[in-house]
Amino acid sequence: RAHVAAAQAACMQGVGDLVGACIDLGIAEATPAVDQEVAVAEARGLLLRDPSRLTASREGQLFLNDLLQYFLT
């Protein structure tokens, strides 16, 4: 079970890295399209935002494929 938890933690870090790489800007400077997707994911309870990064919520961890789809389309 410890290896599963470690894999999940690495994956959650990857979500923030993926979003950061996709927009290549700080969260405050995100393009309107990305900001809109972030807002939708937050409204669905899949994503948490703080001033320096985006993090998958517990719900977002359970539905990680759904969360990633917001940033791959």
Side-chain angles (χ1 to χ4, degrees):
R1 292 194 164 224
H3 68 282
V4 172
Q8 284 179 327
C11 191
M12 292 307 96
Q13 177 62 40
V15 170
D17 293 344
L18 174 64
V19 172
C22 288
I23 61 176
D24 198 25
L25 296 168
I27 292 173
E29 300 171 0
T31 63
V34 171
D35 202 37
Q36 181 179 2
E37 296 300 328
V38 168
V40 172
E42 282 182 298
R44 285 197 54 207
L46 301 176
L47 194 63
L48 303 172
R49 181 193 315 226
D50 73 32
S52 64
R53 65 186 284 188
L54 299 170
T55 307
S57 66
R58 179 69 180 133
E59 187 81 4
Q61 292 175 22
L62 295 173
F63 296 95
L64 187 57
N65 288 341
D66 293 343
L67 176 56
L68 291 174
Q69 287 298 314
Y70 287 107
F71 303 101
L72 298 176
T73 57

